[in-house]
Amino acid sequence: MRLAMVSLGSCLGCQMVFLSMEDYLFSLISENSVPFAPFVVDRKGIPEVDMVLVEGVIRNGDDYRKAKQARERSEFLVALGTCACYGGVPGLADMFSEERMMRRRFGADASFEGEPQGVRRLLPVDSYVRVDAYLPGCPPPVELMRSFLEFSLSGTLPSREGSSVCSECAVSGVSLPQAGPHRTTDAEAAEKKCLLEQGFLCMGPLTRDGCGAVCVSESGIPCDGCRGPSDAVLKHPALDPRAETLRRLTRATGKKPHEVQDAIKDPAHSFFRYCLAEALLRRRRPGGSAPFLYRLGERE
Amino acid sequence: MPEILIDPLTRIMGNASVKIVLDEAENPRDARFQAFGYRGFDQIARGSHIDGLCPIVSRICGCDSLFHQLAAATAVENALGVEVPPEALRLRELALWGQLFERHAVSLTVHSLPDLLFPSSDPGLRNIISIHRVDEETVKRLMELKSLGTSVLKEAGGRAVHPVNFLPGGAVRDISADTRRALIDRLNEARPFLIETGRLVKLLLRRNEEAVNALGTDEAPSLSLRGEGGMAITGTALAVVDAGGEAKEAFGLEEAAERLREDNSPHSHIRSVELSGVGEVRVGPLARLNVNGGYGTALADEELEEVKAHWGFPLHRNMIGHAARILEMIHAWERMVELLALPGGEMMRRTLNPSGGSGEGAVEGPEGTLLYGLVLDEDGLVKRLSITTPLQFNLKSLERAVLESARTVLGSADTGERALVLLETAIRAFAPCIPCGVH
């Protein structure tokens, strides 16, 4: 197979994972050709390939052109990483208008030679071009990328179906109610116990599985949703990451719903850290927005 | 006006292009480094609770993620007046050296070594994939160096890319004694090859002396964190030395933050930064060396002697940055072994009571000083964030290097294609990080 890697507006974390596949990386490059990957090889234009991995967000016209070219010149297009799949952390920029963000950074009259036109709203790659397969994760774990590539380079594109992080998590329950809601910086959690039930803001129940829940089970850190929304969240109009997490925290702490809601003062950053730009979630919000974003006083 | 465009630049971190503007006689007149795609990280972090700050800024750059996290965490700790337990500081330092080791290994093996190994071969062959076809063993061994840094980072940080173990106040988990021993064994095993690679890089630079001399010399003052008796990767004391190596200024974090002067670049989203009272400064592995004089560990300082003997000191030729990178990897190796040999800690963090305040944080990232400035509101939410990255300091120097190189290599007997390859080689000497630069 001929494989290309295209990076749009991104942090290159997915490329680092690609380079971390160790033995599999060497068998991949021996058995397939990689004619285009600016991070590694020198070719300047995207050639015709069998499969292209696109990572990052479409931030401006240059990114859009690249994504479009990648689509035209490849049989299969894979959205690699949470940015490409759901907008990722850069998708948080969707809280502001593009003009205002640029004005704040560069001043009112700034202009740049050769500057591509910015996009007015951030959207995942599949809002612009057809995507054949998704491999979310910020970044996707090495083992997951390896098995994904093994499958897809043999001609079978893995499907998008999946469960939630809790299905892989190896923690036990605690008796309720507990104190909280807590933030990771304010309190220490008991080891190997459910963090959500301990009153921590854990996005595990609403986040796609596949990571092995290592952050929660092994490091004792609540899931912050880096693999993006689970299938259930994407499919069911009533399952909103914010409302659902608040409901679970209310149950865990035995507090009143508004007390829990008031305690979390950064809803966009907490519940939608990796998926604020995801169109399937946004479609449910009237006018493509949600009232809690106004709290920041940023939206025009 | 005639111009030469290299778009995209390849084998670097991120998306950028370079444009050389020529005058009527077709002599290079200006070099413009173009990188767009400002993602607004300084703004999108606003309103976030401090516990979300590290994961958010981490996504600025996957190769330097921990440096962003810890510069931000330090800024929070300084804002709230929190003292981090020493065991946690040691674990943080270990993870930072691990990531620096990994990042340098990638920029050397994946990006720059192909140019030094095969200076006259076709650009299509200058990459690890092509080299792997003819010399599988060497590529595998070189990539093992990267994987060594990755392993240390993964054990100390919980994950290798975007680590999760560190948060304002300290760290969540320490590494177990067994893991410490296993990592020390792996490090010891890699030692001979690391030293060998260091000598190889120095040899290749001596063999490519012509390119080393042609591809940019910059005598701008050097800025870096200052260590006690060697290099520091975290800290609060900064220093500037001039071209002759004379100490020019020394100041603390707060003063540094006040003295930063940012300005738009006319053809890039990377805002260039100067230091008021000094002007332009260089940061990165060479600047660190110029400021600190050496590494402060035996092996790295021993290998440094040869560099000093051959190219003098302070170091100003950009290409010698590659030697400084491999020497830093040796230093990182020594520090990692030292830190892993120390006993683990019981108390890894302090819990924080969010309140208002402002603070700064600085780390020495792989390619230079990274500064964070932070204001928190009374709920502990981020009110204002400023991020100053290494490429912002080095942007003008990088453009000068491209121009200087273009004047030497364009129009000489070389074919056009080879000249363009050399211009990219000049850029890779900076190992510029575009995602950090535009952030």
Side-chain angles (χ1 to χ4, degrees):
Chain A
M1 291 266 259
R2 282 164 66 78
L3 176 70
M5 286 185 82
V6 170
S7 98
L8 310 173
S10 82
C11 78
L12 304 175
C14 297
Q15 314 255 359
M16 291 300 272
V17 174
F18 184 79
L19 291 180
S20 303
M21 295 190 298
E22 306 199 343
D23 284 345
Y24 178 66
L25 174 69
F26 299 118
S27 75
L28 183 150
I29 58 177
S30 315
E31 288 158 20
N32 304 276
S33 74
V34 187
F36 182 84
F39 196 69
V40 184
V41 296
D42 277 340
R43 188 195 276 258
K44 304 291 178 192
I46 308 176
E48 296 274 338
V49 290
D50 298 307
M51 187 166 94
V52 61
L53 307 175
V54 175
E55 55 117 359
V57 286
I58 294 181
R59 181 70 266 181
N60 55 39
D62 277 356
D63 295 332
Y64 172 63
R65 273 185 291 279
K66 258 192 261 177
K68 207 161 147 258
Q69 243 177 28
R71 178 69 272 179
E72 284 161 2
R73 295 180 191 174
S74 172
E75 185 163 349
F76 296 116
L77 187 147
V78 176
L80 174 64
T82 302
C83 291
C85 294
Y86 311 115
V89 172
L92 284 173
D94 212 34
M95 287 186 289
F96 323 113
S97 76
E98 211 261 338
E99 291 87 346
R100 178 153 172 197
M101 205 172 85
M102 296 304 275
R103 195 166 65 234
R104 275 188 162 177
R105 173 74 178 155
F106 299 107
D109 307 311
S111 71
F112 303 91
E113 182 197 314
E115 185 194 20
Q117 175 89 44
V119 292
R120 292 189 63 81
R121 309 218 50 182
L122 264 169
L123 292 163
V125 167
D126 64 1
S127 306
Y128 294 92
V129 296
R130 185 169 54 80
V131 169
D132 300 302
Y134 299 81
L135 178 57
C138 191
V142 179
E143 305 73 40
L144 206 61
M145 188 177 306
R146 177 165 49 215
S147 64
F148 182 94
L149 288 172
E150 258 166 359
F151 267 112
S152 47
L153 290 172
S154 68
T156 322
L157 282 179
S159 83
R160 201 185 187 186
E161 297 293 319
S163 182
S164 74
V165 170
C166 293
S167 71
E168 300 181 319
C169 192
V171 295
S172 55
V174 294
S175 61
L176 302 182
Q178 294 270 328
H182 298 301
R183 309 300 296 238
T184 52
T185 44
D186 312 344
E188 287 193 52
E191 280 185 39
K192 307 275 178 204
K193 303 273 184 211
C194 176
L195 291 165
L196 192 56
E197 288 191 344
Q198 290 185 68
F200 285 88
L201 207 161
C202 180
M203 298 297 290
L206 303 151
T207 302
R208 176 170 301 271
D209 64 344
C211 55
V214 288
C215 299
V216 189
S217 313
E218 283 170 27
S219 299
I221 314 268
C223 171
D224 69 345
C226 85
R227 279 264 290 155
S230 65
D231 281 346
V233 173
L234 294 173
K235 282 176 183 161
H236 300 299
L239 195 57
D240 180 75
R242 171 171 171 265
E244 181 62 16
T245 309
L246 288 172
R247 187 183 73 75
R248 285 171 191 255
L249 281 173
T250 305
R251 177 176 162 268
T253 57
K255 290 193 172 148
K256 294 201 168 65
H258 73 89
E259 286 175 324
V260 175
Q261 185 177 324
D262 291 349
I264 295 166
K265 298 189 166 69
D266 58 341
H269 296 88
S270 294
F271 304 116
F272 298 91
R273 189 174 292 164
Y274 299 89
C275 59
L276 195 70
E278 168 56 44
L280 282 173
L281 298 177
R282 184 153 59 193
R283 205 175 296 153
R284 299 173 203 157
R285 309 204 284 258
S289 172
F292 62 82
L293 291 182
Y294 290 99
R295 200 209 143 261
L296 300 169
E298 302 286 8
R299 191 177 275 293
E300 287 161 309
Chain B
M1 205 173 298
E3 56 189 35
I4 296 169
L5 182 69
I6 309 178
D7 181 24
L9 292 166
T10 43
R11 279 189 285 132
I12 58 164
M13 309 274 181
N15 298 322
S17 60
V18 77
K19 189 193 268 180
I20 319 276
V21 182
L22 307 173
D23 63 15
E24 285 74 15
E26 302 222 332
N27 292 316
R29 203 176 51 112
D30 196 13
R32 296 171 189 172
F33 188 79
Q34 299 181 306
F36 298 105
Y38 167 59
R39 289 163 295 161
F41 271 93
D42 48 343
Q43 297 183 48
I44 63 181
R46 282 186 202 180
S48 165
H49 189 276
I50 47 172
D51 83 341
L53 184 60
C54 287
I56 290 173
V57 297
S58 182
R59 268 71 187 184
I60 291 174
C61 179
C63 320
D64 303 330
S65 49
L66 192 63
F67 291 88
H68 286 277
Q69 290 191 19
L70 293 187
T74 313
V76 172
E77 286 147 9
N78 289 341
L80 301 178
V82 181
E83 209 162 298
V84 180
E87 293 94 333
L89 289 177
R90 291 207 295 266
L91 189 67
R92 284 179 174 187
E93 191 187 339
L94 172 71
L96 286 173
W97 287 121
Q99 189 163 55
L100 179 129
F101 192 94
E102 178 195 40
R103 163 69 153 81
H104 280 345
V106 170
S107 49
L108 281 173
T109 51
V110 180
H111 295 160
S112 292
L113 270 187
D115 294 323
L116 293 172
L117 283 166
F118 307 110
S120 35
S121 76
D122 180 70
L125 301 173
R126 292 180 182 211
N127 55 68
I128 49 159
I129 298 178
S130 301
I131 301 173
H132 179 257
R133 287 211 183 94
V134 291
D135 189 353
E136 210 170 305
E137 215 34 53
T138 306
V139 173
K140 276 193 175 171
R141 289 185 78 186
L142 285 168
M143 289 302 283
E144 248 162 54
L145 288 180
K146 180 216 168 271
S147 127
L148 187 63
T150 312
S151 304
V152 173
L153 178 60
K154 183 167 181 246
E155 295 301 340
R159 284 186 356 187
V161 181
H162 304 312
V164 292
N165 194 26
F166 302 104
L167 73 181
V172 183
R173 292 261 181 291
D174 200 356
I175 319 183
S176 72
D178 286 348
T179 313
R180 281 173 186 266
R181 272 193 297 277
L183 284 174
I184 291 179
D185 288 347
R186 254 192 92 182
L187 283 162
N188 281 329
E189 215 175 290
R191 182 188 146 137
F193 185 65
L194 177 64
I195 307 275
E196 203 182 300
T197 311
R199 296 192 178 146
L200 172 74
V201 171
K202 287 188 280 185
L203 175 76
L204 288 171
L205 287 168
R206 280 205 306 276
R207 223 198 262 162
N208 289 281
E209 195 83 62
E210 203 183 320
V212 170
N213 292 330
L215 299 182
T217 299
D218 202 316
E219 301 207 337
S222 303
L223 166 76
S224 152
L225 283 177
R226 193 186 194 98
E228 281 167 29
M231 202 158 280
I233 200 163
T234 58
T236 51
L238 290 127
V240 176
V241 299
D242 66 13
E246 291 297 312
K248 232 176 132 158
E249 304 218 29
F251 41 83
L253 273 182
E254 272 173 50
E255 191 186 333
E258 279 163 23
R259 289 175 63 176
L260 295 174
R261 298 282 174 272
E262 262 195 24
D263 207 357
N264 282 350
S265 148
H267 38 256
S268 168
H269 280 174
I270 303 168
R271 278 162 68 80
S272 65
V273 171
E274 294 191 347
L275 212 54
S276 73
V278 178
E280 202 189 311
V281 286
R282 276 284 305 266
V283 296
L286 280 180
R288 280 197 279 271
L289 204 45
N290 289 343
V291 167
N292 292 300
Y295 295 95
T297 48
L299 263 182
D301 280 339
E302 192 186 317
E303 296 293 321
L304 171 66
E305 282 315 308
E306 192 192 335
V307 174
K308 284 186 173 174
H310 194 84
W311 285 287
F313 195 79
L315 294 153
H316 297 298
R317 290 180 184 83
N318 297 331
M319 286 291 281
I320 304 304
H322 292 315
R325 270 174 210 114
I326 190 77
L327 292 177
E328 260 180 16
M329 283 173 70
I330 296 175
H331 174 64
W333 182 93
E334 292 177 284
R335 287 295 295 149
M336 288 191 286
V337 172
E338 274 173 41
L339 288 162
L340 282 166
L342 294 170
E346 289 287 302
M347 162 67 168
M348 294 305 287
R349 59 182 285 203
R350 289 185 204 284
T351 48
L352 309 182
N353 294 318
S355 65
S358 66
E360 287 83 28
V363 291
E364 278 297 323
E367 292 313 319
T369 317
L370 175 65
L371 294 153
Y372 268 64
L374 177 76
V375 181
L376 297 175
D377 72 9
E378 59 284 0
D379 293 323
L381 305 187
V382 177
K383 200 169 164 190
R384 233 183 17 248
L385 181 67
S386 68
I387 304 166
T388 311
T389 57
L391 185 55
Q392 291 181 264
F393 287 106
N394 286 345
L395 183 65
K396 285 183 180 163
S397 172
L398 190 152
E399 290 184 329
R400 266 202 310 278
V402 177
L403 184 62
E404 192 186 324
S405 314
R407 288 192 169 135
T408 329
V409 300
L410 288 176
S412 67
D414 281 328
T415 60
E417 196 181 70
R418 185 167 149 67
L420 297 186
V421 169
L422 280 168
L423 292 183
E424 283 197 75
T425 309
I427 291 167
R428 285 180 207 121
F430 286 78
C433 189
I434 321 296
C436 291
V438 293
H439 59 265

